[in-house]
Amino acid sequence: EVEHEVLSAHEAAKKFPQLRLVDSERLFYSPHGYTMVVPTCLACLEWAAGAVGAVMIEDTVISIDRNRKLVTMESGKSQHYSQLVITAGPWTNKLLAAAGLPGLPLIVSNEQTVELIPTAGAPFHDWNNLPIFTWSEAGYKGRNESGGCKYFYTTPIVPLRGSGQEQGVKIGYHRQGALLDTPDFLVTAQGREMVKHLPHDRKEFSNMQQDHLDEYAWLMVRDFVKEKMPHLDALTPSCFMRCLYQMTPDMQMMVGSHPADDSVILACGFCGSGFQFAPAIANFIAARVLQKSPND
């Protein structure tokens, strides 16, 4: 059983004065929740892969010949393979098309996080004093009566140079980005049918990936912060970042063989929850390729 406490609004405010809950709310607190420093994680994963003989090739795939088992890249180089595993994230359907395979019911969401600075005299908001804090009106992957879900996640200030997050508390309006239909992020007919099942407030498609501030998502975060994290400066973000999620109809990840070619293994559709599962997913796929048990 995971070590945890269930705190009333009053108990939560006493333990974490950075937060403000209403009387009807409860805080589920586990001391074993951690902030992952992404650059460090990526460096460790790359090191671990190299230590067992993996060779990294940085290039862009333009075609996959499944008969010849040959991948051709933008640089003009090619690479033969014995087993094809596609873990292309939001570019999955584009890569499947390059392999002559039908796309999957996936939709890319152009997400956003912002960073906010504590106000003068505020309690400390660094990772020694504030846990990872999430708030949802309907649970982790739940839905409200209309089928949507207001879900916010935050990570505390990370006081490490090179962490990628040094300025403020990072906050995201989870699974609420603009939906993309572009040459890079292809949407199938089945994918279009799934839009109504997504938790997103905005159901229309955009034909261009955005890199500017998403005002709608920012205003939702601002209102959340004013209510739940009142010691942060909600006038304007100190910085923001845009990223991409790949959504599935039921918000469950897709890991296994492609339905049109069972020799092609896929891992995709993580709905914004993939990074923390990457080592476990990789272990499962490696075991499948080597025809071993994941526990070996």
Side-chain angles (χ1 to χ4, degrees):
E1 184 178 337
V2 176
E3 181 183 352
H4 69 278
E5 299 177 69
V6 178
L7 306 176
S8 68
H10 175 74
E11 291 168 332
K14 186 175 180 180
K15 192 176 188 71
F16 302 113
Q18 305 89 345
L19 309 178
R20 183 171 65 193
L21 305 180
V22 299
D23 288 343
S24 61
E25 293 176 326
R26 297 293 180 267
L27 180 70
F28 181 97
Y29 169 66
S30 171
H32 299 297
Y34 297 96
T35 301
M36 294 186 294
V37 179
V38 173
T40 303
C41 291
L42 291 176
C44 291
L45 291 171
E46 185 173 345
W47 174 86
V52 293
V55 177
M56 314 295 174
I57 300 174
E58 294 190 15
D59 210 328
T60 300
V61 173
I62 58 173
S63 69
I64 301 173
D65 186 329
R66 289 180 290 126
N67 293 321
R68 298 169 61 198
K69 293 193 172 184
L70 183 70
V71 176
T72 302
M73 291 164 277
E74 195 173 55
S75 65
K77 296 179 180 180
S78 59
Q79 179 73 41
H80 284 280
Y81 66 86
S82 58
Q83 171 68 60
L84 182 61
V85 178
I86 296 178
T87 58
W91 295 273
T92 294
N93 278 346
K94 183 178 181 179
L95 205 58
L96 290 176
L101 288 167
L104 300 173
L106 302 163
I107 293 179
V108 176
S109 179
N110 198 174
E111 300 284 319
Q112 174 174 279
T113 61
V114 300
E115 287 190 25
L116 299 181
I117 302 296
T119 57
F124 291 115
H125 284 68
D126 63 277
W127 64 0
N128 290 317
N129 296 278
L130 177 66
I132 297 169
F133 173 56
T134 66
W135 182 94
S136 171
E137 65 177 346
Y140 177 55
K141 288 189 176 180
R143 305 295 182 91
N144 59 29
E145 292 182 356
S146 65
C149 183
K150 287 184 171 58
Y151 182 107
F152 299 89
Y153 72 92
T154 78
T155 58
I157 296 170
V158 179
L160 294 177
R161 297 184 63 182
S163 68
Q165 184 194 335
E166 303 170 46
Q167 299 187 56
V169 175
K170 184 172 82 171
I171 306 175
Y173 186 30
H174 201 34
R175 306 188 185 102
Q176 290 292 345
L179 304 178
L180 300 180
D181 183 5
T182 75
D184 277 334
F185 311 122
L186 302 175
V187 180
T188 65
Q190 190 179 8
R192 292 185 184 282
E193 286 295 315
M194 69 171 262
V195 171
K196 60 181 177 289
H197 299 296
L198 296 179
H200 292 60
D201 300 334
R202 298 169 289 179
K203 307 290 188 185
E204 65 278 3
F205 283 100
S206 173
N207 61 8
M208 184 177 297
Q209 183 180 350
Q210 304 165 1
D211 57 10
H212 56 78
L213 182 71
D214 183 339
E215 289 288 346
Y216 176 80
W218 157 237
L219 292 177
M220 297 299 289
V221 167
R222 184 195 64 183
D223 292 345
F224 162 77
V225 166
K226 287 181 177 179
E227 183 179 348
K228 303 298 181 187
M229 305 184 78
H231 296 289
L232 295 177
D233 183 354
L235 290 179
T236 185
S238 64
C239 64
F240 69 92
M241 183 187 72
R242 303 303 300 270
C243 60
L244 301 170
Y245 287 1
Q246 194 180 42
M247 304 299 300
T248 61
D250 57 3
M251 292 199 291
Q252 301 297 315
M253 63 184 73
M254 296 181 179
V255 180
S257 296
H258 190 284
D261 185 345
D262 61 11
S263 72
V264 178
I265 298 176
L266 302 170
C268 56
F270 292 96
C271 303
S273 300
F275 190 80
Q276 62 265 47
F277 296 117
I281 297 299
N283 184 57
F284 174 84
I285 292 175
R288 180 159 180 170
V289 168
L290 297 172
Q291 298 183 336
K292 296 182 178 180
S293 167
N295 297 320
D296 288 346

